[in-house]
Amino acid sequence: MDHNDQRTIIKNRIADFIRREHQDPRLDVGGADLIATGILDSFFLIALTDFLEREFKIQLTADDLIEDNFRTLDSIADLVVRRTKEIAESE
C-alpha cells in the first residue's frame, strides 16, 4: 500500500468517526475548517484524540495538540501519518 492509499484510508476512518459522533452521515468534513465551523470544539477534541490514539495505535503529545494539526481532515491525517511513521521507524 503506498502513502496516498494509506492517507486516504486514514482520512476516511477519521471522517466516519466525526460523522458518527455528530450523528450526521452527510456532514461535510472533507474541505471544511473543522474549528471555524464548530465541528471540532474543545470537548470533541478530547473524543477525537482518544479515537486517534486507539484506532491508529499512536501516542499524541501536548505538542501535537495545536489548532493547525486539527483544523482540517487533511491536517489530522497528516498528524496520524507522521506519528505512525515515527513508530515504524523506532521499531
Side-chain angles (χ1 to χ4, degrees):
M1 177 182 329
D2 73 8
H3 174 76
N4 288 331
D5 290 340
Q6 177 191 21
R7 192 169 180 282
T8 298
I9 291 169
I10 290 169
K11 282 177 60 174
N12 288 339
R13 287 164 69 183
I14 295 167
D16 288 345
F17 171 78
I18 293 170
R19 290 184 186 111
R20 187 173 54 249
E21 291 296 307
H22 279 277
Q23 299 179 352
D24 184 353
R26 294 183 312 254
L27 184 64
D28 180 18
V29 295
D33 182 325
L34 301 175
I35 296 169
T37 58
I39 294 171
L40 181 63
D41 60 19
S42 58
F43 293 110
F44 191 74
L45 179 62
I46 294 167
L48 178 60
T49 56
D50 182 59
F51 166 78
L52 295 174
E53 289 183 335
R54 283 184 294 105
E55 185 74 13
F56 301 106
K57 302 189 179 14
I58 59 173
Q59 183 69 41
L60 299 175
T61 67
D63 291 339
D64 293 324
L65 302 179
I66 59 172
E67 285 186 5
D68 286 344
N69 283 339
F70 293 90
R71 188 165 304 283
T72 65
L73 191 56
D74 284 323
S75 62
I76 299 169
D78 289 343
L79 173 62
V80 171
V81 168
R82 279 194 313 273
R83 284 294 180 201
T84 55
K85 184 178 178 185
E86 289 170 5
I87 290 169
E89 289 174 352
S90 70
E91 293 179 343

